[in-house]
């Protein structure tokens, strides 16, 4: 068996960031667990805590025993450290040595440095002097190297995880997709032959012999580009694009091999406004309380993540729109969000209540509908403004209440004329985007209270279900096209959770980073009302797991889209599918042409979820007490 390559990370810092130093250890252990076998790599952490005491100065001992390493990882917060015989602090001396090695193409291949933002006033003169040294050091460093700012250890964990994974892949020169059994990245000529043979747009080629089922990506060379080299010299590099066709939707998906290695591509919100503290805001706010600076107050209300600052703005700003934006900021406290949330106001919801039949879920008609025949909104009676705060009983009650309400309305003949079918979807509560002096929500949701939209389908509606139906009808394979696709996903270990009724999985056709999907297993289930109560329960469990997994990845910006067919359409091998599409921006220009550019491979989602999914599934299943599960 091939021996694993060892990559060493040296962690350098003063003693006031012990939490971050431990985080580096945890992150490296996770990388070894998720990527070690796949990339044949073992990442080792070197820290001064692990060096045995010896005679002589502490710094001399560290210099003697640390040995060669590949990645220097520096951290500073409020303390600069104690002076050594060669520098003003041990961290400064260690960075100087690493920089000289990096610059001369020595053992040090990469340098990372992180500064934790200081938001408190120094306690005494010594603390003030230490902080001043940190600030000066950061200013000097900016002329030589890039560094990263963060606010809390939880932010540091996300940053260092992404950075280390990126650098490990870069050092191993892994520019190809993570290992999969039957995924082939082939020349365009071969892939075109496969697409022509299938006859329908899909990169998944089913086969009655499970082991011969394959997913094809076309690897196409494109224009070369320059990437940053050492000492600021850009280097020319060949580029390749992997093109595939979504196995269930009429979309092309393009993954740039070089783009996939960037330290970016995570569907989190726009950067936090962490450089302001409450004292600064209080000092400057009187000067901003004039009409000409209203837009600045709106930007501040949109972007800050500090609950105390948001409370201050809401209590002191006289502009109703600024106050409203403050309360809709996802970082606002639940109490503040509730003050401006219409769905939390009894007068609003009881006036519109359509008697859903549940005391936990309201269903009302949308005052500004876009759906024909009917347009309802379902939302929990509790004041909940983030999907990750919902638990399984909440999601189950909402789904079951929608199902029973729609069946009741249909049976009572309330829909005259009748719709062709029903669509159900959601927009998560996400960070607002700023556009000049105007603001808007990036998913179009004007209500932060979690809710689902339910609307009627027009006759002859063309939607994603039509394409999937065509795939199921035209591709002949034992058990049906989707049955074969699920076999393939199981074989490639892309399935996250499965029971008798549904499967939650990572799709090979991801149109956004870390997209997940839920498929109903019973063939011929063409729409939501065709589900049984047991299937609603299983669907709710899988939906809760998906939301919790996205939360664990730091993702709270997503849409849920249902792939469905009209009520009267009979399709023997079609199955209802729910897609959790993560969002970074409104709509990229390529998406207007049904082409989705994704900066990560779906296999990377599989590897990220591997070490965390079992505990989350266990947690959700434990909360299922009292819910009937077959």
């Amino acid at each position: 068996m091939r021996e694993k390559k060892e990559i060493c990370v040296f962690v350098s810092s003063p003693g006031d960031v012990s939490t971050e130093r431990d985080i580096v250890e945890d992150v490296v252990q996770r990388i070894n667990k998720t990527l070690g076998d796949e990339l044949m790599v073992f990442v080792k952490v070197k820290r001064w805590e692990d060096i045995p005491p010896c005679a002589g100065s502490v710094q001399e001992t560290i210099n003697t025993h640390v040995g060669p390493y590949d990645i220097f990882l520096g951290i500073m917060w409020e303390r600069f450290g104690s002076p050594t015989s060669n520098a003003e602090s041990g961290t400064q001396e260690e960075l100087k040595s690493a920089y000289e090695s990096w610059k001369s193409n020595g053992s040090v291949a990469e340098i990372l440095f992180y500064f934790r933002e200081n938001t408190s006033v120094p306690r005494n003169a010594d603390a003030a002097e230490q902080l001043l040294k940190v600030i000066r050091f950061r200013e000097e460093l900016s002329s030589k190297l890039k560094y990263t700012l963060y606010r809390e250890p939880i932010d540091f964990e996300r940053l260092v995880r992404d950075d280390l994974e990126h650098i490990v892949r870069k050092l191993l020169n892994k520019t190809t997709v993570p290992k999969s059994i039957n995924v082939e990245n082939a020349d365009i000529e071969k892939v075109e032959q496969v697409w022509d043979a299938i006859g329908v747009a899909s990169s998944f080629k089913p086969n009655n012999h499970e082991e011969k089922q394959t997913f094809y990506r076309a690897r196409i060379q494109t224009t070369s580009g320059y990437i940053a080299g050492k000492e600021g010299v850009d280097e020319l590099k060949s580029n390749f694009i992997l093109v595939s066709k979504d196995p269930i939707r009429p979309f092309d998906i393009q993954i740039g091999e070089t783009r996939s290695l960037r330290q970016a591509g995570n569907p989190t919100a726009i950067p936090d406004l962490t450089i302001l503290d409450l004292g600064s805001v209080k000092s400057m706010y009187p000067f901003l309380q004039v009409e000409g600076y209203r837009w600045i107050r709106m930007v501040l209300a949109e972007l800050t993540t500090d609950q105390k600052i948001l409370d201050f703005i809401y209590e002191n700003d006289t502009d109703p729109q600024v106050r409203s934006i403050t309360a809709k900021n996802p970082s606002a406290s639940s109490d503040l969000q509730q003050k401006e949330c219409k769905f939390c106001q009894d007068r609003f919801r009881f006036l519109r209540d359509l008697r859903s039949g549940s005391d936990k879920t309201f269903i009302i008609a949308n005052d500004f509908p876009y759906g024909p025949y009917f347009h309802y909104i379902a939302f929990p009676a509790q004041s909940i403004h983030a999907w990750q705060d919902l638990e399984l009983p909440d999601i189950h009650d909402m789904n079951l209440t929608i199902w029973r309400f729609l069946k009741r309305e249909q049976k009572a003949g309330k829909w005259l004329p009748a719709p062709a079918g029903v669509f159900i979807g959601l927009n998560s509560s996400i960070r607002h985007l700023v556009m000049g002096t105007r603001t808007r929500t990036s998913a179009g949701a004007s209500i932060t209270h979690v809710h689902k939209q339910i609307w009627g389908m027009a006759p002859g509606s063309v939607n994603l279900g039509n394409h999937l139906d065509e795939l199921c009808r035209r591709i002949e394979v034992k058990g049906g096209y989707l049955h074969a696709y699920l076999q393939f996903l199981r074989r490639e270990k892309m399935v996250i959770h499965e029971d008798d009724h549904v499967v939650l999985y990572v799709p090979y056709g991801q149109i956004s980073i870390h997209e997940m999907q839920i498929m109903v297993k019973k063939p011929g289930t063409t729409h939501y009302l065709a589900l049984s109560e047991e299937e609603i329960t299983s669907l709710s469990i899988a939906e809760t797991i998906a939301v919790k997994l996205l939360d664990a990845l730091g993702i709270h910006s997503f849409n849920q889209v249902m792939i469905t067919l009209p009520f009267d359409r009979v399709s023997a091998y079609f199955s209802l599918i729910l897609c959790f599409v993560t969002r970074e921006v409104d709509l990229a220009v390529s998406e207007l042409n049904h082409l989705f550019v994704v900066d990560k491979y779906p296999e990377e989602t599989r590897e990220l979820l591997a070490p965390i999914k079992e505990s989350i599934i266990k947690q959700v299943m434990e909360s299922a007490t009292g819910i009937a599960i077959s």
Side-chain angles (χ1 to χ4, degrees):
M1 185 177 179
R2 186 160 56 93
E3 187 176 343
K4 290 184 176 181
K5 176 179 174 61
E6 184 175 274
I7 293 178
C8 292
V9 181
F10 175 57
V11 183
S12 172
S13 75
D16 62 335
V17 287
S18 58
T19 299
E20 286 87 337
R21 295 176 67 84
D22 291 339
I23 285 173
V24 175
E25 282 274 15
D26 293 340
V27 166
V28 165
Q29 288 181 18
R30 183 175 297 183
I31 289 174
N32 285 328
K33 187 174 181 180
T34 58
L35 298 179
D37 291 338
E38 173 200 328
L39 302 180
M40 291 303 294
V41 66
F42 177 76
V43 184
K44 180 180 179 180
V45 178
K46 293 185 175 183
R47 309 193 303 171
W48 48 257
E49 295 97 323
D50 304 323
I51 297 174
C54 297
S57 72
V58 173
Q59 193 58 50
E60 288 175 352
T61 301
I62 294 174
N63 295 344
T64 301
H65 287 83
V66 70
Y69 53 86
D70 304 282
I71 303 171
F72 176 91
L73 197 156
I75 316 166
M76 276 192 183
W77 184 17
E78 296 175 323
R79 294 199 59 79
F80 185 65
S82 303
T84 69
S85 58
N86 298 315
E88 291 186 62
S89 77
T91 304
Q92 186 183 45
E93 180 174 332
E94 290 157 3
L95 175 62
K96 181 181 179 182
S97 174
Y99 182 76
E100 289 174 353
S101 173
W102 175 78
K103 192 173 181 181
S104 61
N105 292 315
S107 67
V108 179
E110 295 285 345
I111 296 178
L112 298 170
F113 215 103
Y114 304 86
F115 289 94
R116 182 172 176 178
E117 286 283 357
N118 180 65
T119 57
S120 59
V121 177
R123 300 177 301 279
N124 50 46
D126 177 63
E129 182 181 356
Q130 285 285 313
L131 181 58
L132 182 60
K133 288 182 177 180
V134 171
I135 294 172
R136 287 174 177 167
F137 175 71
R138 189 169 73 189
E139 291 175 349
E140 293 172 3
L141 188 63
S142 64
S143 62
K144 296 181 179 179
L145 297 166
K146 292 181 179 179
Y147 59 79
T148 303
L149 300 176
Y150 69 97
R151 185 165 187 174
E152 299 292 343
I154 190 172
D155 304 316
F156 173 78
E157 180 177 8
R158 174 178 58 82
L159 291 166
V160 79
R161 180 191 66 202
D162 289 348
D163 289 348
L164 284 179
E165 182 179 332
H166 163 78
I167 289 173
V168 166
R169 288 186 181 277
K170 179 180 175 182
L171 294 180
L172 295 171
N173 195 28
K174 293 291 184 179
T175 59
T176 57
V177 62
K179 181 176 63 179
S180 293
I181 301 171
N182 283 348
V183 175
E184 184 174 341
N185 302 326
D187 293 336
I188 183 61
E189 291 79 10
K190 179 176 181 179
V191 177
E192 280 186 312
Q193 292 175 3
V194 173
W195 290 340
D196 291 341
I198 295 174
V200 186
S202 174
S203 276
F204 172 59
K205 186 180 181 182
N207 193 293
N208 286 326
H209 299 285
E210 183 180 336
E211 66 279 1
K212 293 184 179 180
Q213 295 175 155
T214 309
F215 185 85
Y216 289 93
R217 297 186 182 102
R219 188 169 185 261
I220 306 172
Q221 188 164 9
T222 186
T223 49
S224 300
Y226 286 90
I227 60 172
K230 290 190 175 183
E231 299 186 25
V233 178
D234 290 343
E235 301 171 353
L236 189 64
K237 182 184 182 300
S238 298
N239 288 319
F240 289 84
I241 308 297
L242 294 175
V243 181
S244 60
K245 295 186 181 297
D246 193 314
I248 65 170
R249 295 167 295 199
F251 302 144
D252 281 358
I253 298 167
Q254 298 178 180
I255 303 174
E257 287 185 345
T258 305
R259 288 176 66 94
S260 72
L261 297 175
R262 293 189 307 174
Q263 292 169 278
N266 283 315
T268 49
I270 55 181
D272 296 340
L273 193 62
T274 57
I275 56 176
L276 288 176
D277 56 30
L278 180 59
S280 301
V281 173
K282 285 183 176 180
S283 299
M284 72 179 184
Y285 218 76
F287 302 99
L288 301 179
Q289 287 271 40
V290 293
E291 184 59 29
Y293 294 135
R294 177 172 175 265
W295 69 273
I296 297 180
R297 296 175 358 245
M298 293 172 72
V299 170
L300 187 60
E302 288 257 15
L303 300 189
T304 186
T305 57
D306 191 314
Q307 288 189 2
K308 293 180 180 178
I309 292 177
L310 291 168
D311 288 338
F312 173 82
I313 294 173
Y314 188 83
E315 292 166 3
N316 292 275
D317 204 295
T318 57
D319 190 296
Q321 189 174 2
V322 174
R323 288 163 56 88
S324 176
I325 292 171
T326 304
K328 290 179 180 178
N329 185 315
S331 295
S333 65
S334 181
D335 289 342
L336 177 53
Q337 290 185 348
Q338 188 173 351
K339 290 177 181 178
E340 292 285 332
C341 176
K342 292 182 178 179
F343 287 4
C344 291
Q345 298 170 7
D346 287 342
R347 181 181 176 186
F348 176 90
R349 57 192 190 181
F350 284 123
L351 176 65
R352 294 162 176 79
D353 184 17
L354 296 178
R355 307 295 184 265
S356 69
S358 169
D359 59 357
K360 297 179 181 178
T361 300
F362 277 92
I363 295 182
I364 65 174
N366 192 328
D367 289 340
F368 304 96
Y370 53 77
Y373 303 105
F374 59 80
H375 192 152
Y376 305 126
I377 298 176
F379 59 92
Q382 295 184 70
S383 175
I384 302 178
H385 297 89
W387 279 92
Q388 65 269 20
D389 293 339
L390 286 174
E391 300 300 336
L392 173 58
D394 306 312
I395 292 178
H396 179 254
D397 189 82
M398 193 185 314
N399 288 339
L400 190 60
T401 300
I402 292 171
W403 181 78
R404 289 172 173 169
F405 175 82
L406 292 176
K407 278 186 165 292
R408 186 186 78 193
E409 295 288 291
Q410 186 184 48
K411 185 177 181 180
K414 296 285 186 70
W415 304 331
L416 292 174
V422 61
F423 290 112
I424 302 174
L426 67 86
N427 301 311
S428 69
S429 297
I430 66 180
R431 188 73 47 79
H432 299 172
L433 296 179
V434 177
M435 300 185 66
T437 58
R438 301 186 316 162
T439 60
R440 62 189 174 88
T441 53
S442 65
S446 58
I447 300 294
T448 58
H449 198 116
V450 297
H451 61 280
K452 289 192 174 185
Q453 305 272 357
I454 309 116
W455 67 98
M457 180 188 297
S461 174
V462 178
N463 58 73
L464 298 178
N466 297 104
H467 177 78
L468 180 57
D469 186 31
E470 183 182 6
L471 287 170
C472 294
R473 291 175 185 274
R474 293 183 58 178
I475 299 179
E476 296 182 2
V477 63
K478 184 179 178 181
Y481 175 75
L482 289 179
H483 173 75
Y485 184 44
L486 281 183
Q487 284 182 325
F488 179 74
L489 292 169
R490 293 186 189 105
R491 184 176 174 84
E492 296 295 331
K493 303 186 185 307
M494 303 295 270
V495 171
I496 301 167
H497 164 77
E498 182 174 4
D499 64 14
D500 292 341
H501 304 293
V502 303
V503 182
L504 170 64
Y505 59 91
V506 178
Y508 266 102
Q510 279 186 333
I511 62 171
S512 64
I513 297 169
H514 304 321
E515 178 187 358
M516 288 177 266
Q517 296 174 359
I518 302 172
M519 185 189 300
V520 177
K521 293 171 70 173
K522 183 180 177 182
T525 307
T526 56
H527 56 85
Y528 194 73
L529 298 189
L531 297 171
S532 65
E533 286 202 28
E534 291 79 10
E535 287 169 328
I536 293 290
T537 299
S538 291
L539 193 70
S540 301
I541 292 170
E543 186 176 353
T544 306
I545 293 170
V547 170
K548 299 297 183 183
L549 287 172
L550 289 173
D551 182 40
L553 295 177
I555 299 171
H556 306 133
S557 309
F558 60 90
N559 305 117
Q560 185 192 93
V561 180
M562 181 177 291
I563 301 180
T564 182
L565 287 176
F567 294 140
D568 61 358
R569 180 78 63 84
V570 177
S571 185
Y573 295 116
F574 182 96
S575 289
L576 195 72
I577 296 178
L578 269 66
C579 308
F580 293 82
V581 183
T582 59
R583 304 302 295 153
E584 290 182 89
V585 296
D586 276 357
L587 196 64
V589 63
S590 61
E591 294 172 20
L592 296 172
N593 201 32
H594 283 194
L595 191 157
F596 289 79
V597 176
V598 186
D599 286 348
K600 297 292 181 184
Y601 298 100
E603 292 92 333
E604 294 185 56
T605 304
R606 176 189 65 195
E607 304 307 322
L608 279 175
L609 296 180
I612 63 174
K613 65 180 182 181
E614 293 305 325
S615 61
I616 289 176
I617 291 171
K618 181 180 178 181
Q619 172 194 342
V620 172
M621 297 306 294
E622 287 175 350
S623 69
T625 306
I627 295 177
I629 303 174
S630 62

